[in-house]
Amino acid sequence: MEEKQREATWQEEEEQAEVAVWKYAFGFTEMAVVKCAIELGIADSIESHGSPMTLSELSSALACAPSPLYRIMRFLMHRGIFKEELTTAHGSLGYAQTALSRRLMRHGERSMAALILLESSPLMLAPWHSLSARVLANETSPFDAAHGEDLWSYAAENPAHSQLINEAMACDARLAVPAMIHDCPEVFDGLGSLVDVGGGNGTTLQTLVKAFPWLRGINFDLPHVVSVATESIGVEHVGGDMFLSVPKADAVFLKWVLHDWGDKECIQILKKCREAIPKDKGKVIIVEAVIEEAETDKLTDVRLALDMIVMAHTNTGKERTFNEWGFVLGKAGFCRYTVKPIRAVQSVIEAFP
């Protein structure tokens, strides 16, 4: 009986493996086809049309051949990115938007297009071919191996890539910051000023100042980043180096910054943040993923994928567990901290001196 059960289990595992292995052979096609859809502007065209579009209408709007477009749409519909509905003009089936396809539009509060275009760009894909060398040598980062310099140096010298990074970070800010405002608005109680370290184009602070009008926002990033940031009421752009000093404020805000650095650099950044806030009532607000190794949820895969991304794209970056966050915060001189999950990939960590 036990022998038959083991054999049945083995057979089931073999059958699952026969199907699953294809995902790893051809998994890149999903990113490539979604990138194609963004570049063609498929979701934008359907949204502008205001109703489902036939293949003829869509191919005409995009100025592309119907046959390859049909195959692209078949692939995307199979994955639930678009759907079929009756068109109002012809009564025939046409392509319609879904909640997922709207995230592929170039603009919009829930757009993730810039982040997808960043991660699928040739520049960001090249380091993945050196990932095994990084694991074996644990020295040169894959990005350095592919491009001869680190990501930040490259971005400083290439304004177009720097802009794409900032637009990608703004995609996440438009998702994570509203989730934070909804789930834990008390984090901002009693604050008069807030400095966003590594704030990019200022999207995060613009959202926070709109929600909490009493806040005075300081968007702090490298000079070449803030020099092209859009001016916004209630937000001051300041250029500098977080490893040297951070502008003083009631609280420091860091979102998707510390995961780009190893423990040594994180501790150094956090110490500069601690110096910038009042000792009696100041705090540092960190919005980062927390890897829960014993528990999983629907975003666990995303957090683990992010850990691989920072391994490929940074010199020492990593996603951290609860205990690993406690270690760097303690070494930086913070006596206590809290971790609050929100409806996003990240959690909100409040650290107090």
Side-chain angles (χ1 to χ4, degrees), residues 261-276:
W261 304 95
D263 290 351
K264 180 182 176 181
E265 295 87 356
C266 264
I267 292 165
Q268 186 179 348
I269 295 166
L270 286 166
K271 283 182 176 178
K272 294 300 177 185
C273 293
R274 185 166 57 84
E275 292 171 4

Side-chain angles (χ1 to χ4, degrees), residues 27-311:
F28 67 92
T29 57
E30 290 193 347
M31 172 186 277
V33 177
V34 167
K35 177 185 181 180
C36 173
I38 294 170
E39 291 176 336
L40 291 175
I42 294 173
D44 301 274
S45 291
I46 297 173
E47 188 73 11
S48 297
H49 191 261
S51 61
M53 298 179 74
T54 63
L55 176 64
S56 176
E57 289 172 333
L58 187 58
S59 64
S60 176
L62 299 177
C64 64
S67 179
L69 179 61
Y70 169 77
R71 292 159 65 189
I72 291 287
M73 295 305 294
R74 179 173 62 186
F75 182 96
L76 294 170
M77 285 200 304
H78 180 69
R79 282 153 180 80
I81 297 174
F82 291 94
K83 62 184 177 181
E84 279 188 324
E85 286 184 356
L86 287 175
T87 60
T88 52
H90 310 286
S92 56
L93 286 174
Y95 302 116
Q97 294 272 60
T98 65
L100 183 53
S101 70
R102 287 190 172 91
R103 284 160 170 78
L104 306 184
M105 293 167 57
R106 289 281 190 162
H107 304 287
E109 288 302 305
R110 293 183 177 273
S111 171
M112 293 289 279
L115 183 57
I116 294 169
L117 291 176
L118 172 68
E119 296 300 338
S120 62
S121 66
L123 187 91
M124 300 300 267
L125 288 177
W128 289 102
H129 297 290
S130 301
L131 190 61
S132 56
R134 163 69 184 274
V135 175
L136 289 168
N138 197 30
E139 293 175 0
T140 304
S141 80
F143 193 96
D144 279 24
H147 303 296
E149 59 186 335
D150 66 39
L151 174 60
W152 316 117
S153 299
Y154 184 92
E157 297 162 2
N158 294 270
H161 191 68
S162 178
Q163 181 180 351
L164 184 55
I165 290 174
N166 291 325
E167 289 173 354
M169 295 306 98
C171 284
D172 176 70
R174 287 191 290 267
L175 297 178
V177 177
M180 182 182 181
I181 292 168
H182 181 274
D183 293 346
C184 49
E186 68 280 358
V187 168
F188 302 97
D189 289 349
L191 299 180
S193 58
L194 181 71
V195 56
D196 184 5
V197 174
N201 63 13
T203 298
T204 290
L205 274 181
Q206 291 169 20
T207 305
L208 289 173
V209 168
K210 184 178 180 180
F212 309 109
W214 62 84
L215 278 178
R216 179 176 66 87
I218 303 168
N219 184 48
F220 181 64
D221 212 314
L222 293 168
H224 74 271
V225 175
V226 297
S227 67
V228 294
T230 305
E231 294 299 320
S232 178
I233 296 173
V235 177
E236 175 189 3
H237 299 295
V238 176
D241 185 341
M242 64 186 174
F243 287 101
L244 300 177
S245 66
V246 171
K248 293 191 180 299
D250 292 338
V252 172
F253 189 94
L254 295 139
K255 184 184 74 65
W256 265 9
V257 171
L258 297 178
H259 75 166
D260 290 328
W261 304 95
D263 290 351
K264 180 182 176 181
E265 295 87 356
C266 264
I267 292 165
Q268 186 179 348
I269 295 166
L270 286 166
K271 283 182 176 178
K272 294 300 177 185
C273 293
R274 185 166 57 84
E275 292 171 4
I277 59 176
K279 292 182 179 180
D280 55 342
K281 60 176 183 178
K283 63 181 173 181
V284 174
I285 305 164
I286 302 165
V287 183
E288 291 272 11
V290 178
I291 303 292
E292 296 287 355
E293 295 180 328
E295 300 176 17
T296 61
D297 63 26
K298 59 186 179 182
L299 290 172
T300 295
D301 281 352
V302 181
R303 298 182 188 108
L304 294 175
L306 277 169
D307 190 40
M308 296 297 97
I309 288 168
V310 292
M311 183 186 289

